[in-house]
Amino acid sequence: MSGNNNMFKKVQDYIVNSQVWKAVFRTGIPRTRRQRMMVVLNGVFLHLHPVRLPKHAVKVKYTWCMGGLSFFVFLVLTITGILLMFYYRPTVEYAYGDIIDMREQVPLGIMREIHRWGAHLMVITVWLHMFRVFMTGSYKPPREFNWSIGVILLVLTMLLSFTGYLLPWDQLAIWAITVGSNMAGATPFAGTGGPGANLLAIGDVNFVTSTSDAKFAMLGGRFVGEGALLRFYVLHCIGLPFVIMIFMIVHFWRVRKDGGISGPT
Amino acid sequence: MSKNNPSKPPKKSSGKSKSDKKIPPRPSVPPAGSSANPTSSDDKQVGVTPSQLQGKTGIVSKPITRKAATKAQTSAPEVDRRTFVKWLAIGWTAFAAVLGGYGSLVLRYLFPNVLFEPKQSFRAGFPDDYVVGEVSERYKDQQATWIVRDSEKIYALSTVCTHLGCTPNWLENEEKFKCPCHGSGFYKTGIHFEGPAPRPLERFKISLADDGEIVVDKTQKFQQEKGEWDDPESYILA
Amino acid sequence: MIETIKEVINKITNPQILFPILAVSYLFVFPMNNFFEKINRKLGIYKLWTRNGGILMMSGLFAFFCFGISDPNFRKIVSKPDNVPIVGLLFLVVFFLWLSMKQAYDNDARIAAGKPPQEAEDAKEKILVWPDLVYIEFICLILCSVLLLVWAMALQAPIEEPANPSVSPNPSKAPWYFLGLQEMLVYFDPWLAGVVFPTVIMIGLMAIPYIDNNKKGSGYYTFNDRRMAVSIFMFLWIVLWIFLISVGTFLRGPNWNFFGPFEYWDLHKLEALTNVNLSELIYMIWMKKQLPSNILLREMWGFLAVFVYFGVMPLLLAKTVLKNVFKNLGPLRYSVFVILLLFTASLPIKMLLRWVFNIKYIIAIPEFFFNI
């Protein structure tokens, strides 16, 4: 036994003392207090955190872990989303079949399931995160602005989920989008079905018509069709993730800059 | 600290000064604020912000103490501030204009000039194909149109609910169109009577071709609330 | 016996009954002022936020679903793949509601006894992020991914028939997180329910920190220190948001009619929804006259009502019920707050008007797509 342990120790020492290991992990195995602090300070990802925290801030009872989980689920959605893009073609002709094939013809065909349920989960975790932040009064100064950023993140989360809803091109999809886009068409002054639109006219020439209103901009056509599918696809895969990423960076940055996680003062 | 100077980003003088020493002094373009600034750089840092100094000489010899800097800010001449505000306003206006310009370009980009959509008119058989008092769903799937014949006329109803665009179902027994999305109900005529729909279903232009066949033109719509259902183009007498 | 219980539940869960019950009982569960607080104490409602109360609520919810699952109609709704997250959401919301309120009441008791809140006690000790926080995060992350994997393997993601523009599914529902909005669409015109209200909700949420100028209650769970804020939030979050989502999910059936959770989804269920506009009610039913042809004259009463609601009510409230709020917030904060509050209240008001008087629009000008 002790020989085995010795052997293990030797190998470990060899690895830990090798040039490669030392180049990657500057601080070594974090055993001492100093090393543990350095790990957080030096790592690009761990540096998201401060080095030390008041104890209440790590209690799950207090934080519910929901903010972190939202971010984690977002990462899961990004990864599975990229994988789904390999098999999905955003055209009216192929979209539905590709979605079916993802389950039936692709090995480990639960990628779409993870993506779909993950999307639901993210909406729930974001809601609960906001719930917690409200209940602890964490939006109070100096964190007011970060709460507002958080609201934008909530809206973006729901928009991401909404744009993804159309992509399977099934009955559920087109009718949800039909209703949604008709709401956009009812925007005051910017949609043909909304109040004020027919006031924006010179004589008989209307400025807001069914080919120049908010609904059209959303669908790329007058009905939910090829144009809408493509627009929603691009927004879902590139446009909105890009925007939400920017706001997430601001959100995390401000958590730190506003004094870390909230606590009694 | 450098609030008085819009043309330079705020800099910490002490950290920057060393590297600045090495490069040759920049051509002395006076910063926007300093033209009206009566104090010269010899004035021992009173009334001069660090970045102004930098702009004049390219070198900051001594880090300015916080005390001196606050003094500089409070004692800055009034003219200076006004010019600053002016430049600030111009700067922001220009920025907003550029942003607005790009924005409107992008917005215009969203509306293509040519649309590829299916043909908007169709032939719908002969008047005798339709039974009096019946709602024909023959063209619902292909053309999104119900053709209704009552005792005196034939008209073409759009299958798009005026609430939010779902397709209502024709319920034979209850003699009404009922929308599954939010529960709007319409009579056979298209008049709304229940649920959230704000106005009646729309009717399409309908006419008889030379050979007596019915032609429905979906590009032209007739709305009851505008009193357009009396228009002779919105129905054919049977 | 079981059938009778189901009948009763079907009757009660009709939103026209359940919503008023919920709206009234909420006042006692999250008492806003001393009057309700006294009744809350007397009835012992505060005991919900103890350990036993939590067990009671969770097991009650669980028992309801266990009882319901034996019913074929109920099973059909609950086990629909897209509805599964909402069932989960219900449990989660009840649990976290309890968790936060329990800590709030515990802290309130501590503060009343002159001690600092529990969080302040904990915060005295400082700990290192590595390993204490990093490990917790890591465990949470693993649990979450396990949950997601199991969920993904157990339930197929929903996919329906291929898209068919000529047939709307009956009922056709929005994604579940938008069902609150879809419910509003029944009572308000699309430009309000689909555009104005979401915008107001967004702006209102973003404005919360700037309106709530109560310095107390930052960074710890408490109810006593910020009663008004918590109780308004609970109305929005539980009664208007979560409840309306549940209504949209479980109680809306074919043709968007209400169905009890154990009721068969009958396609031909008849429900008289004949609604009248305020102008029609006033002129045709009360005054027994023709509608005036002039639009402004016709809708005069509606405009008056809306003006009174948004123009006079804020002043009236500032003088009466919200006197203290006005004093605390100052004129600017107060105006923003009260306008948001009135927007919020307009939804239940419109619902009641619809259910009681069959009123469709307060102002109805379909000629300009302007209906309120």
Side-chain angles (χ1 to χ4, degrees), chain B residues 12 36 41 51 99 103 135 138 168-169 171 185 189 218 233 235 238:
Chain B
K12 276 195 185 143
S41 56
S51 49
L99 215 63
V135 173
R138 200 182 307 167
N169 299 306
L171 305 179
T189 53
K218 291 193 285 185
E233 284 191 323
Y235 57 85

Side-chain angles (χ1 to χ4, degrees), chain B residues 129-143:
Chain B
D129 298 349
Y130 298 95
V131 183
V132 175
E134 229 178 56
V135 173
S136 162
E137 299 206 279
R138 200 182 307 167
Y139 296 98
K140 185 186 170 191
D141 288 357
Q142 296 296 319
Q143 302 290 349

